[in-house]
C-alpha cells in the first residue's frame, strides 16, 4: 500500500521533476552513468513497451522460480524506516537531488536489470538443483532453498544500496547557492546515505541469519568490490568516470576492470554463493562465479551499446557513460576523440554528447562492443552447457539470447 | 539543589530507567540516591574542578580524582593501562587490514583517516577489559586473550569509525577530534563509499571469526545504528514521548554497539547465558551513561576540549537530555524543540535556559544511575584487576571531559 502511495506521488510529480530538471541544467543531478540504462527502462514503460522477446524471457523465467522477483523489494518497502523515507522523499520533490531519480527507477521496477539480478540467482539455483535433504528448508513449489532466496534478495539489496550511495551529490563550494538549494542537497544526501545504510545493515542481518560464514564473507567482499569501483580511474567533480588517455591502457582492460568491480563480481559471487548453499562443491561453485561474472559483463556491454544503436530510444544529446565500451574502443581507434572528452574532465555534462554520439556511431566501437558482448555471453553459455537440461536452464539461456537481440 | 528532590522528577527518572527495558531495576530507596545527589556538588563546578585537576592529561583520565562519595579504593587502577598491550596496536592493525583489502590509495587514505590513534578507543578498551575479566571469571586464573577476542575489539572500533564517517556526511560537520572532518577533505560520494568499505572489511573479519551467534549479534548493531539515525530525523510531540524517543535513540546509536560487542566477547569467552546477559547489560548501561555525559558535555565543555564545536547538538536541531529536562522548568523550550532551534537566537536562548535550569544536573543524575547499575553488574564478576577495571571505567565515563 505504501509503495503504491509513493509510486502515485512520484508519478504525479514525475513530469514536474523532469521539467524542473531540464530547466535547471545544473547538471548535478543527471543520471549516474551506469544506471542510465536502468532509468531509461523505467521511463520507456510509458513511452512504449520494451522489446517483446526480453519481456517474454523474463516473465517466463519469473514463473519458474515462484513469483516475480521484483516483489523481493516489497518487504523492505513496507517497513517503518522506509515509511519515514517516503515522507522525507516528499520534501525533496521539486528539488533536483538525484535520489529522486534513483527512487523512481527502483519503484517503477520496469524490466530494468535491477530485479533481474535476483532472478538470475534464483534461476541458477534451480538449474543446478541442491543436495539438501531437509524439507523444511526448501521452497518446494519453486525448487530453491529458502536460503537461496535470501541470497537473491541480498544481491538486490546490495546493488540497490550501492546505487543509492552512488547517487549522493558531492557538495563542494560553489556547487549550489546557499539557502534552500543547499539545504535540499544536504537533506537529500542525508536520506540517500541513510537509505543505503539501511539496506546494507539489512543485508548483514539476513546474511547472518543464514548461519553460513563462508557466504557472509563472500558477500561482504562483494560489497567491498563495489566500493572500490568508485575509485577506479579519472573522475569528474561528481565522481562520474572519465576515460584514461588511450595511450595509458587498453580499452578492454579498462572496461573490464570497471565493469567487474561495479557489478560483475557481485553477480558472480552471488551465483557462486547460491551454489555453495545448494551443497555443491567448491569447484562447481566456481563455475557459478564465472557464469555470473560473464553474464553481468555481457549485460553491461548491452547497456553500453544502447545510445549508439540506430533507432535507439536514447534521445540525441543526452548524457551517456563516457567509459562505455563503444567510446573506449573508439578512443583506441582514433585518439583525437579524447579532446572532446577532456572537456568533461571537471563535469561530464560539459561534453558535447550529440557530437560524440555521432562520431562513435560511425566508427568501429559499436561492432567491437557487440563482439565483446558476444564473447561474454558465449562464456556464460558454456558454463550452462555443463548443467542438466531443465526449465530453469532453458530460461537462463533464453535470457542470454534475448539480451543479444536487445 | 532542593528542587532536585522534587517528587515529580524522581518519579520521572524512575520511569525512565525502566524504559531501558531493564528487568532488574533496583529497589533501593530513592532517598539513598537523593543523598548522593545532595552530597554531590553541582555538576558544572564538578566538571570544572575535574578540568583543573586533569589539565593536560588526555587519556589517563583515571587520574582524575573521583567525585563519588565512598568511591572505590581502587580508583588508581587505569583500565587503559590494564589492556595496553592489546590496545596500543589497534589502530595499526586496522590500517593493516584496510590496506590488505584495497589497492586503491585514495580509498585507503580516506578509510584510515580516523584511525590515527587520537580517538578515545573506549569501545575496544571495554571489549578487551571485559574479555580479560570474563576469562578470569571462567578459568579462575589469568588467561591470555584469544585472537578472536582481540579481533572483536578491533572490529568494534572499525564499525564505530565507519559510522562516524557517515555521520560526518549526514551532519555536514566541520571538525572532529581536532582536525577537519572527512567530508570537508574529500568528495562526499567517495567518503560514503569509504564508510561502506570499512563496513565491508569489518563484515569479512566478523565472518572469519566463524561463530554464527557472534555474527548475528554483531549484525544487529548495524541495524540499530541506522534506525537510531532515522529516529534522529524525527521528533515527537509530547514530552513523555520525546524522552522515550530520546532514550531509545540513544540506545540504538551508542549503547547497542557497546552492549552487543561485549556480548559477543562474552560468547567467545565461553560464558553461559546468564553471564552473556550480564555483559550485554553492563555494556548497555555504560553506553547509555557515556552518551548522556556526551550530551551534557556539549553544553559545558569548551570546543577545544571536545575537538568539535560546542552546542553542536542544538545547532543540528537535536534536543538531548539536558534540554528535555530543562523543558520541565521552561515550557517555552517546547516550541523551540518542535522547530528544531531553527529561528535566529534559538540556539543561544535554549543554551541559556538549559544552564539556568537543573537540566545538566538531572542528566548527570541519570548517567550516574546507569553507571551504578553497571557497577552492580560488574561486581558479580569474580574479583580480578580487570574486574576492578570495569568498575573504574564507569567513573571515567561519568567524569570525563572530552
Amino acid at each position: 500500500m505504501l509503495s503504491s502511495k509513493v509510486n502515485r506521488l512520484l508519478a504525479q510529480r514525475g513530469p514536474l521533476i523532469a521539467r524542473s530538471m531540464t530547466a535547471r541544467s545544473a547538471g548535478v543531478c543527471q543520471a549516474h552513468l551506469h544506471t542510465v540504462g536502468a532509468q531509461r527502462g523505467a521511463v520507456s514503460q510509458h513511452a512504449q513497451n520494451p522489446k517483446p522477446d526480453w519481456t517474454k524471457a523474463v516473465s517466463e523465467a519469473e514463473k519458474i522460480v515462484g513469483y516475480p522477483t521484483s516483489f523481493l523489494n516489497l518487504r523492505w518497502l513496507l517497513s517503518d524506516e522506509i515509511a519515514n523515507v517516503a515522507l522525507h522523499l516528499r520534501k525533496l520533490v521539486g528539488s533536483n537531488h538525484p535520489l529522486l531519480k534513483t527512487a523512481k527507477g527502483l519503484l517503477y521496477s520496469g524490466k530494468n536489470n535491477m530485479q533481474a539480478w535476483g532472478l538470475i540467482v534464483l534461476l541458477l539455483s534451480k538449474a543446478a538443483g541442491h543436495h539438501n535433504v531437509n524439507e523444511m528448508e526448501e521452497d518446494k513449489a519453486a525448487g530453491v532453498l529458502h536460503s537461496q532466496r535470501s541470497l537473491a534478495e541480498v544481491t538486490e539489496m546490495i546493488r540497490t544500496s550501492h546505487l543509492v550511495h552512488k547517487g549522493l551529490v558531492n557538495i563542494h563550494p560553489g556547487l549550489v547557492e546557499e539557502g534552500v538549494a543547499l539545504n535540499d542537497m544536504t537533506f537529500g544526501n542525508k536520506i540517500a546515505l541513510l537509505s543505503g545504510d539501511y539496506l546494507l545493515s539489512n543485508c548483514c542481518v539476513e546474511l547472518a541469519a543464514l548461519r553460513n560464514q563462508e557466504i557472509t564473507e563472500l558477500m561482504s567482499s562483494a560489497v567491498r568490490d563495489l566500493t572500490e569501483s568508485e575509485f577506479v580511474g579519472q573522475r569528474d567533480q561528481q565522481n562520474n568516470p572519465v576515460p584514461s588517455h588511450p595511450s595509458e591502457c587498453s580499452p578492454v582492460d579498462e572496461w573490464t576492470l570497471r565493469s567487474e568491480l561495479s557489478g560483475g563480481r557481485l553477480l558472480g559471487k552471488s551465483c557462486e554463493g547460491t551454489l555453495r548453499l545448494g551443497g555443491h562443491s567448491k569447484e562447481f561453485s566456481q563455475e557459478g562465479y564465472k557464469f555470473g561474472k560473464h553474464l553481468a559483463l555481457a549485460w553491461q556491454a548491452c547497456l553500453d551499446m544502447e545510445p549508439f544503436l540506430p533507432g535507439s530510444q536514447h534521445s540525441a544529446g543526452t548524457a551517456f557513460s563516457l567509459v562505455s565500451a563503444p567510446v573506449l574502443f573508439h578512443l583506441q581507434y582514433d585518439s583525437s576523440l579524447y579532446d572532446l572528452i577532456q572537456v568533461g574532465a571537471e563535469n561530464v555534462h560539459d561534453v558535447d554528447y550529440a557530437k560524440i554520439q555521432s562520431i562513435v556511431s560511425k566508427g568501429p566501437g559499436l561492432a567491437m562492443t557487440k563482439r565483446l558482448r558476444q564473447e561474454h555471453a558465449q562464456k556464460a553459455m558454456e558454463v550452462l552447457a555443463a548443467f542438466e537440461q531443465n526449465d530453469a536452464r532453458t530460461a537462463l539461456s533464453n535470457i542470454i539470447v534475448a539480451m543479444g537481440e536487445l | 539543589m532542593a528542587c532536585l528532590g522534587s517528587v515529580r522528577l524522581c518519579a520521572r527518572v524512575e520511569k525512565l530507567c525502566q524504559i531501558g527495558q531493564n528487568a532488574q531495576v533496583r529497589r533501593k530507596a530513592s532517598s539513598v540516591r537523593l543523598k548522593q545527589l545532595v552530597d554531590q556538588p553541582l555538576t558544572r563546578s564538578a566538571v570544572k574542578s575535574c578540568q583543573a585537576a586533569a589539565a593536560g592529561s588526555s587519556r589517563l583520565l583515571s587520574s582524575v580524582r573521583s567525585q563519588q562519595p565512598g568511591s572505590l579504593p581502587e580508583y588508581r587502577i587505569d583500565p587503559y593501562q590494564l589492556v595496553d598491550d592489546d590496545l596500543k596496536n589497534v589502530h595499526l592493525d586496522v590500517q593493516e587490514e584496510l590496506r590488505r583489502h584495497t589497492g586503491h590509495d585514495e580509498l585507503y587514505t580516506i578509510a584510515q583517516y580516523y584511525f590515527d590513534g587520537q580517538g578515545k578507543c573506549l569501545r575496544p578498551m571495554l571489549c578487551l577489559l571485559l574479555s580479560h575479566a570474563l576469562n578470569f571469571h571462567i578459568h579462575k586464573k589469568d588467561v591470555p586473550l584469544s585472537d578472536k577476542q582481540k579481533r572483536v575489539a578491533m572490529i568494534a572500533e572499525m564499525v564505530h569509525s565507519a559510522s562516524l564517517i557517515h555521520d560526518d556526511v549526514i551532519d555536514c560537520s566541520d571538525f572532529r577530534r581536532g582536525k577537519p572532518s572527512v567530508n570537508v577533505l574529500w568528495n562526499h560520494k567517495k567518503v560514503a563509499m569509504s564508510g561502506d568499505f570499512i563496513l565491508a572489511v569489518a563484515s569479512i573479519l566478523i565472518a572469519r571469526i566463524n561463530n554464527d551467534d557472534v555474527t548475528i549479534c554483531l549484525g544487529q548493531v548495524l541495524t540499530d545504528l541506522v534506525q537510531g539515525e532515522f529516529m534522529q530525523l524525527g521528533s515527537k510531540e509530547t514530552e513523555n514521548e520525546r524522552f522515550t524517543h530520546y532514550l531509545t535513540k540513544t540506545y540504538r546509536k551508542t549503547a547497542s554497539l557497546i552492549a552487543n560487542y561485549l556480548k559477543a566477547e562474552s560468547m567467545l569467552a565461553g560464558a553461559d547465558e546468564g553471564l552473556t546477559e550480564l555483559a550485554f547489560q553492563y555494556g548497555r548501561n555504560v553506553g547509555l551513561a557515556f552518551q548522556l555525559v556526551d550530551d551534557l558535555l556539549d553544553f559545558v565543555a569548551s570546543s577545544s576540549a571536545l575537538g568539535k564545536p560546542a552546542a553542536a547538538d542544538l545547532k543540528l536541531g537535536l534536543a538531548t537530555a539536558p534540554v528535555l529536562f530543562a523543558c520541565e522548568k521552561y515550557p517555552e523550550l517546547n516550541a523551540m524543540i518542535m522547530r528544531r532551534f531553527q529561528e535566529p537566537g534559538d540556539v543561544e536562548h535554549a543554551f541559556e535556559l538549559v544552564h539556568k535550569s537543573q537540566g545538566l544536573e538531572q542528566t548527570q543524575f541519570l548517567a550516574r544511575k546507569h553507571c551504578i547499575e553497571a557497577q552492580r553488574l560488574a561486581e558479580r564478576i569474580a574479583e580480578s584487576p580487570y574486574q576492578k577495571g570495569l568498575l573504574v571505567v564507569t567513573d571515567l565515563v561519568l567524569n570525563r571531559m572530552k
Side-chain angles (χ1 to χ4, degrees):
Chain A
M1 210 179 84
L2 170 72
S3 64
S4 71
K5 235 187 280 171
V6 179
N7 237 327
R8 217 178 324 127
L9 175 77
L10 288 169
Q12 285 164 357
R13 300 303 196 96
L16 182 86
I17 304 164
R19 239 182 295 133
S20 73
M21 292 217 261
T22 32
R24 312 177 205 180
S25 57
V28 195
C29 61
Q30 304 200 2
H32 17 288
L33 300 172
H34 271 278
T35 59
V36 167
Q39 278 149 1
R40 202 180 315 117
V43 175
S44 69
Q45 231 187 354
H46 300 284
Q48 67 182 90
N49 285 328
K51 302 250 162 78
D53 281 347
W54 173 255
T55 319
K56 215 175 131 210
V58 170
S59 64
E60 275 175 5
E62 282 181 337
K63 280 180 217 149
I64 292 172
V65 284
Y67 49 79
T69 35
S70 40
F71 283 179
L72 291 184
N73 277 332
L74 277 182
R75 190 134 67 96
W76 66 263
L77 276 175
L78 291 173
S79 69
D80 269 4
E81 285 71 28
I82 296 298
N84 270 330
V85 173
L87 282 177
H88 292 302
L89 269 183
R90 208 175 179 151
K91 291 187 209 157
L92 279 176
V93 172
S95 80
N96 58 355
H97 197 282
L99 174 61
L100 279 178
K101 268 199 159 181
T102 314
K104 231 170 87 179
L106 296 178
L107 289 170
Y108 277 134
S109 68
K111 298 291 169 248
N112 64 46
N113 52 7
M114 199 96 55
Q115 274 72 35
W117 281 38
L119 177 64
I120 299 287
V121 174
L122 289 179
L123 285 173
L124 189 75
S125 315
K126 191 172 184 188
H130 61 80
H131 302 313
N132 195 294
V133 282
N134 186 348
E135 286 192 7
M136 291 294 287
E137 289 169 15
E138 190 188 350
D139 177 347
K140 274 271 183 222
V144 296
L145 300 174
H146 293 302
S147 58
Q148 293 176 317
R149 204 176 268 285
S150 283
L151 188 69
E153 197 171 318
V154 165
T155 309
E156 288 186 5
M157 286 201 289
I158 290 178
R159 193 164 154 75
T160 309
S161 141
H162 181 68
L163 281 179
V164 171
H165 277 176
K166 246 171 84 164
L168 252 76
V169 175
N170 179 32
I171 306 174
H172 54 82
L175 177 76
V176 284
E177 285 168 42
E178 294 262 335
V180 182
L182 182 63
N183 284 343
D184 280 349
M185 284 300 146
T186 312
F187 188 72
N189 270 0
K190 190 187 276 196
I191 300 298
L193 194 56
L194 284 180
S195 309
D197 281 351
Y198 172 73
L199 290 174
L200 269 188
S201 69
N202 267 14
C203 289
C204 285
V205 171
E206 259 198 85
L207 285 171
L210 294 180
R211 294 183 167 268
N212 183 326
Q213 301 312 315
E214 185 194 336
I215 302 297
T216 305
E217 184 177 341
L218 187 69
M219 296 312 289
S220 303
S221 74
V223 175
R224 177 201 61 199
D225 298 337
L226 286 176
T227 62
E228 274 199 295
S229 74
E230 289 300 295
F231 291 83
V232 177
Q234 206 188 326
R235 303 271 161 170
D236 79 346
Q237 282 182 334
Q238 287 304 325
N239 213 41
N240 293 310
V242 181
S244 322
H245 192 272
S247 62
E248 282 167 31
C249 71
S250 98
V252 180
D253 288 353
E254 183 174 353
W255 182 86
T256 308
L257 177 66
R258 286 182 197 274
S259 311
E260 254 195 64
L261 285 176
S262 67
R265 291 201 195 164
L266 172 61
L267 191 55
K269 286 175 179 178
S270 303
C271 289
E272 178 183 349
T274 201
L275 295 185
R276 291 294 288 155
L277 285 173
H280 296 285
S281 70
K282 281 200 168 159
E283 293 70 35
F284 185 66
S285 305
Q286 275 296 321
E287 291 295 302
Y289 176 79
K290 256 195 238 165
F291 172 80
K293 187 187 86 175
H294 288 299
L295 184 60
L297 293 191
W299 212 312
Q300 187 61 53
C302 223
L303 290 173
D304 282 2
M305 277 159 46
E306 243 281 312
F308 307 98
L309 292 172
S312 112
Q313 289 164 19
H314 185 90
S315 52
T318 52
F320 49 81
S321 170
L322 293 180
V323 293
S324 61
V327 179
L328 293 179
F329 279 127
H330 193 96
L331 272 173
Q332 192 193 32
Y333 159 78
D334 175 12
S335 60
S336 69
L337 181 69
Y338 198 67
D339 296 337
L340 283 179
I341 282 172
Q342 268 300 304
V343 175
E346 281 201 353
N347 182 349
V348 291
H349 300 290
D350 290 343
V351 306
D352 186 344
Y353 283 99
K355 197 166 174 189
I356 296 179
Q357 194 178 7
S358 105
I359 294 175
V360 172
S361 304
K362 286 173 203 138
L366 194 59
M368 291 167 89
T369 308
K370 227 174 233 172
R371 219 173 303 140
L372 186 67
R373 183 199 67 197
Q374 217 38 54
E375 274 168 33
H376 286 295
Q378 187 55 41
K379 281 182 186 151
M381 280 289 200
E382 278 164 21
V383 175
L384 278 188
F387 284 58
E388 276 174 41
Q389 178 60 44
N390 58 33
D391 55 354
R393 194 192 93 164
T394 312
L396 281 172
S397 48
N398 282 348
I399 286 183
I400 296 175
V401 172
M403 204 163 59
E405 287 158 13
L406 268 184
Chain B
M1 257 319 38
C3 62
L4 273 180
S6 94
V7 181
R8 203 167 147 215
L9 169 70
C10 277
R12 163 79 79 75
V13 170
E14 197 66 55
K15 217 171 120 205
L16 288 175
C17 295
Q18 288 166 355
I19 289 167
Q21 40 129 327
N22 188 351
Q24 309 141 315
V25 178
R26 286 136 305 125
R27 287 282 164 84
K28 283 182 196 165
S30 52
S31 61
V32 176
R33 252 169 272 130
L34 284 177
K35 186 171 172 298
Q36 286 176 341
L37 255 189
V38 175
D39 291 345
Q40 173 72 21
L42 274 174
T43 318
R44 227 183 315 163
S45 55
V47 171
K48 267 189 199 145
S49 68
C50 288
Q51 276 171 334
S57 81
S58 55
R59 191 185 256 191
L60 299 174
L61 284 174
S62 55
S63 63
V64 177
R65 191 169 51 84
S66 169
Q67 296 288 318
Q68 205 171 7
S71 69
L72 303 152
E74 299 83 11
Y75 65 82
R76 281 180 209 285
I77 285 182
D78 180 352
Y80 280 103
Q81 208 61 52
L82 282 173
V83 294
D84 190 53
D85 280 351
D86 295 320
L87 193 62
K88 64 180 182 230
N89 289 326
V90 161
H91 290 109
L92 297 175
D93 293 345
V94 173
Q95 287 179 342
E96 200 178 300
E97 279 300 337
L98 294 176
R99 184 77 268 192
R100 198 172 295 155
H101 279 94
T102 183
H104 295 273
D105 289 341
E106 195 182 11
L107 173 57
Y108 171 71
T109 310
I110 303 175
Q112 62 86 48
Y113 185 68
Y114 284 137
F115 300 104
D116 55 359
Q118 297 304 305
K120 286 182 283 282
C121 261
L122 175 78
R123 292 153 188 86
M125 182 271 279
L126 280 170
C127 283
L128 295 167
L129 200 57
L130 181 96
S131 296
H132 272 298
L134 291 189
N135 281 2
F136 199 98
H137 180 89
I138 291 168
H139 302 283
K140 314 266 182 293
K141 60 175 189 216
D142 203 355
V143 175
L145 298 189
S146 69
D147 282 343
K148 291 182 178 183
Q149 287 176 313
K150 292 181 198 167
R151 292 303 254 184
V152 168
M154 179 182 101
I155 297 167
E157 188 67 4
M158 291 177 74
V159 171
H160 172 59
S161 293
S163 81
L164 290 185
I165 287 179
H166 279 191
D167 277 359
D168 280 348
V169 177
I170 289 173
D171 299 337
C172 299
S173 50
D174 300 322
F175 282 98
R176 186 182 287 282
R177 295 179 182 167
K179 62 182 188 179
S181 310
V182 271
N183 54 305
V184 176
L185 296 176
W186 290 283
N187 185 317
H188 294 178
K189 236 179 264 197
K190 285 187 172 169
V191 171
M193 289 298 164
S194 306
D196 291 351
F197 170 73
I198 298 176
L199 271 188
V201 175
S203 298
I204 292 174
L205 298 178
I206 291 173
R208 287 186 188 158
I209 287 172
N210 207 7
N211 180 317
D212 294 348
D213 294 319
V214 166
T215 306
I216 289 171
C217 174
L218 301 186
Q220 182 59 39
V221 173
L222 300 180
T223 319
D224 282 338
L225 282 172
V226 180
Q227 290 190 344
E229 209 52 66
F230 268 118
M231 288 181 79
Q232 196 157 295
L233 289 175
S235 49
K236 293 283 177 235
E237 299 280 339
T238 70
E239 271 178 64
N240 273 338
E241 272 183 333
R242 227 180 264 148
F243 223 109
T244 318
H245 191 259
Y246 166 78
L247 283 182
T248 314
K249 183 200 82 180
T250 304
Y251 169 73
R252 290 182 174 167
K253 279 198 69 176
T254 312
S256 166
L257 193 154
I258 299 177
N260 280 300
Y261 272 80
L262 293 189
K263 184 176 167 187
E265 290 283 22
S266 73
M267 289 173 181
L268 291 172
D272 61 17
E273 214 170 290
L275 201 51
T276 301
E277 178 64 12
L278 183 146
F280 177 87
Q281 291 298 345
Y282 172 84
R284 186 181 137 264
N285 279 288
V286 170
L288 289 174
F290 178 83
Q291 190 57 47
L292 284 164
V293 173
D294 213 54
D295 293 344
L296 178 120
L297 286 176
D298 199 44
F299 284 90
V300 295
S302 69
S303 53
S304 61
L306 291 176
K308 60 182 181 189
D313 291 336
L314 285 180
K315 288 172 193 159
L316 286 171
L318 303 178
T320 54
V323 186
L324 296 177
F325 277 124
C327 251
E328 193 148 288
K329 192 168 176 194
Y330 300 105
E332 61 262 46
L333 278 166
N334 278 312
M336 288 189 243
I337 293 173
M338 289 315 289
R339 60 175 183 252
R340 298 179 81 92
F341 313 105
Q342 268 175 353
E343 283 184 15
D346 274 1
V347 170
E348 293 74 14
H349 192 195
F351 191 81
E352 196 192 317
L353 289 181
V354 166
H355 277 277
K356 274 180 21 197
S357 74
Q358 301 296 321
L360 296 171
E361 289 78 359
Q362 285 162 303
T363 306
Q364 169 92 356
F365 176 70
L366 189 55
R368 178 178 306 282
K369 251 192 95 132
H370 284 294
C371 282
I372 293 171
E373 174 64 11
Q375 286 180 354
R376 194 188 63 80
L377 291 163
E379 269 159 11
R380 284 167 42 195
I381 300 174
E383 196 173 322
S384 70
Y386 305 109
Q387 179 255 0
K388 294 290 174 218
L390 289 175
L391 294 171
V392 173
V393 163
T394 61
D395 280 350
L396 295 193
V397 164
L398 209 53
N399 297 319
R400 72 205 175 91
M401 254 80 51
K402 61 171 232 178

